[in-house]
Amino acid sequence: MTSRLRHRTHAEEEDASALKLGAEFNNAGCLLISEVKYLLENRDKDAPDTAVYNKTLEYVKTFAKFNTTDSASAVRETLRREPALTQFETAQIANLCPGTAEEAKSVVPSLVKIDDDKLQTLLDEIQTMRKFQS
């Protein structure tokens, strides 16, 4: 019972809108769904044939926004130009591909710290990359 209460208290301290994701995420890297797709598809022949693995693979195939690792890398590099973005915010923008700064800020509230024009420029570049990816 004590551990359950501790866990609940810890969960109440988490707030994604303020980038308080929990201690386990403080130094964690974030992958784009497109990068996870690449990793799973290029796994050795010994990939597990489990329901979880297969559902995960189906999910990333459905929701990956970029077809190649070059496209995903280019998007990541574009977003890295904005030093105020965290890894979490970078991954969210690349995974969701919002069309406008307003939309981006509504789905990732912590983006309020970035000027709308600056954010819109980044989003426009990403949309262009999506259109012309090979």
Side-chain angles (χ1 to χ4, degrees):
M1 178 116 178
T2 309
S3 65
R4 184 179 293 175
L5 290 176
R6 249 187 270 142
H7 179 66
R8 180 174 285 165
T9 303
H10 185 268
E12 290 171 4
E13 295 171 3
E14 296 174 3
D15 180 5
S17 67
L19 292 180
K20 294 181 182 176
L21 304 175
E24 61 271 14
F25 291 102
N26 285 345
N27 295 315
C30 297
L31 291 174
L32 311 186
I33 293 173
S34 300
E35 293 168 332
V36 174
K37 176 181 175 253
Y38 173 80
L39 291 172
L40 293 179
E41 287 180 336
N42 292 292
R43 204 176 149 137
D44 294 338
K45 299 283 185 210
D46 64 337
D49 187 22
T50 64
V52 171
Y53 180 85
N54 292 330
K55 285 181 182 180
T56 302
L57 185 57
E58 181 182 332
Y59 177 91
V60 296
K61 284 180 177 180
T62 301
F63 294 105
K65 302 288 186 188
F66 306 98
N67 300 328
T68 66
T69 55
D70 289 340
S71 299
S73 295
V75 168
R76 188 178 283 282
E77 287 305 313
T78 298
L79 292 170
R80 278 190 184 141
R81 288 197 325 246
E82 176 50 57
L85 287 176
T86 65
Q87 285 194 42
F88 175 78
E89 292 165 331
T90 296
Q92 291 304 304
I93 291 170
N95 288 335
L96 299 172
C97 289
T100 65
E102 181 182 357
E103 181 184 2
K105 290 178 179 184
S106 71
V107 294
V108 186
S110 61
L111 293 174
V112 296
K113 64 187 174 193
I114 300 174
D115 176 65
D116 281 357
D117 292 335
K118 193 182 252 189
L119 182 57
Q120 189 61 54
T121 299
L122 290 171
L123 297 176
D124 290 344
E125 285 185 54
I126 292 169
Q127 292 300 332
T128 300
M129 286 181 219
R130 275 190 78 195
K131 278 184 203 170
F132 297 109
Q133 64 183 323
S134 51

